[in-house]
Amino acid sequence: MTGGSGGLAGAGRDPGLQPERTRLAWRRTGLALSLVTALAVRLGSTGEPTDTLIAGVAVLVWGAALVLCWPRGTGTGPARAGGRTLPLVALATVALALLGALLVVRGLW
Amino acid sequence: MWEAIRRWFDPRDLRSVGEPPDYRFSLANERTFLAWLRTGLALVGGGLAAAQFLPPLPLTHLREVIAVALLLLGATVAVRAVDHWARNERAIRLGQELPASRFPAVLALTIGAGAVLLVIAVLARAVGAS
C-alpha cells in the first residue's frame, strides 16, 4: 500500500474492494439526503405559501445533490477521487439545514 | 478564510501539491468524508424531526431551540467534513502525517451534554407532573 503508484490500472483486482465500498457509501449518503428532504417537505407542508416555497427549494437542492451523487454511486470503474462533487454535496447538506431552520423559525409566527 | 473555501471547490488546486497518492488512500479519505456527511445529515434529520414530532415543551420555544441547535450542528459537521477531507488529501499527497483534530471530541461532548440536559428536563417534568 505504500508505493503510491497513483494509477487506476490494478483497480479491478483490489482485494479490499475500495471502489465498491466507496460507491456504496455514496448511495447511503444519497439515501440520507432523501430522508432529510422528506422530513423537510413534511415540515413545510402547512399550506402557507412561504413554507411551500421553502420546501420547494429544498426539493430542488435534493435533486441537484442526487444528480451529483449518481455517477459516483453507479458506474463500473473506480470513481476518480476528489473533485468538486464532495464540497458541493456538503453545500447541499448545509443548504437543507438552513432551509429547515428557516421553516422552524417561520413556524413561530 | 475565503481563500480556503475557494480551494475546496477547486480540484486542480488540490492536485497541484505533492505526489498523486495510491488511489485507495484517496477513496478511503472520501469514504471518511461521506461518513461525516451522513453524521451531519443525521443531526439535520434529528432537528427536522424534533420540530414536527416533539410535543410543545413546558419552556417557551424549547422545541424550536432544540431543532435549530441540531440543524446548525449538522451544518457545522458538514462544513468541517469538507475542510478535514481537503486537509487529509493534502497531507496524503505530501506524505505527511494526517492532521489531528479536536472536533470529534468536542462534538461528542456537546451531544453528550445536550442529552444529559434533556434527561434532566424529562425527569423534572415527570416529578412536576406527579
Side-chain angles (χ1 to χ4, degrees):
Chain A
M1 286 289 278
T2 48
S5 65
L8 301 173
R13 306 200 52 79
D14 176 5
L17 293 175
Q18 305 266 346
E20 181 87 46
R21 282 157 64 191
T22 309
R23 276 198 296 277
L24 291 174
W26 275 102
R27 285 188 212 175
R28 285 198 296 279
T29 308
L31 208 59
L33 275 166
S34 307
L35 265 170
V36 164
T37 308
L39 280 171
V41 167
R42 192 184 179 280
L43 187 62
S45 306
T46 55
E48 290 272 338
T50 320
D51 288 348
T52 312
L53 182 70
I54 297 173
V57 174
V59 171
L60 286 180
V61 169
W62 168 71
L66 271 204
V67 167
L68 282 170
C69 286
W70 203 262
R72 289 183 168 263
T74 56
T76 47
R80 188 166 180 177
R84 218 166 266 151
T85 313
L86 282 76
L88 284 177
V89 174
L91 190 69
T93 305
V94 172
L96 285 175
L98 294 183
L99 289 169
L102 210 58
L103 280 173
V104 173
V105 172
R106 229 206 65 77
L108 288 179
W109 67 81
Chain B
M1 186 186 123
W2 295 113
E3 178 60 21
I5 292 174
R6 194 194 59 75
R7 277 176 155 184
W8 293 341
F9 290 93
D10 189 1
R12 279 168 307 171
D13 182 78
L14 203 59
R15 293 207 181 99
S16 67
V17 293
E19 298 281 310
D22 186 320
Y23 77 94
R24 287 170 292 191
F25 295 158
S26 287
L27 290 182
N29 190 22
E30 191 166 315
R31 287 197 301 277
T32 307
F33 161 80
L34 289 171
W36 272 110
L37 196 64
R38 287 195 299 275
T39 306
L41 281 167
L43 288 165
V44 172
L48 291 172
Q52 52 196 310
F53 296 122
L54 273 190
L57 299 172
L59 271 172
T60 323
H61 300 328
L62 179 59
R63 184 178 63 174
E64 281 73 22
V65 169
I66 292 172
V68 171
L70 282 170
L71 287 166
L72 293 183
L73 198 57
T76 310
V77 168
V79 170
R80 186 266 177 191
V82 183
D83 182 55
H84 201 66
W85 163 76
R87 289 197 294 141
N88 274 348
E89 199 69 15
R90 199 169 287 270
I92 292 169
R93 293 185 74 95
L94 292 171
Q96 295 168 344
E97 231 180 308
L98 293 183
S101 174
R102 281 200 191 90
F103 187 82
V106 173
L107 181 68
L109 288 178
T110 309
I111 292 176
V116 168
L117 281 178
L118 285 180
V119 167
I120 291 171
V122 169
L123 288 179
R125 200 177 168 191
V127 169
S130 66

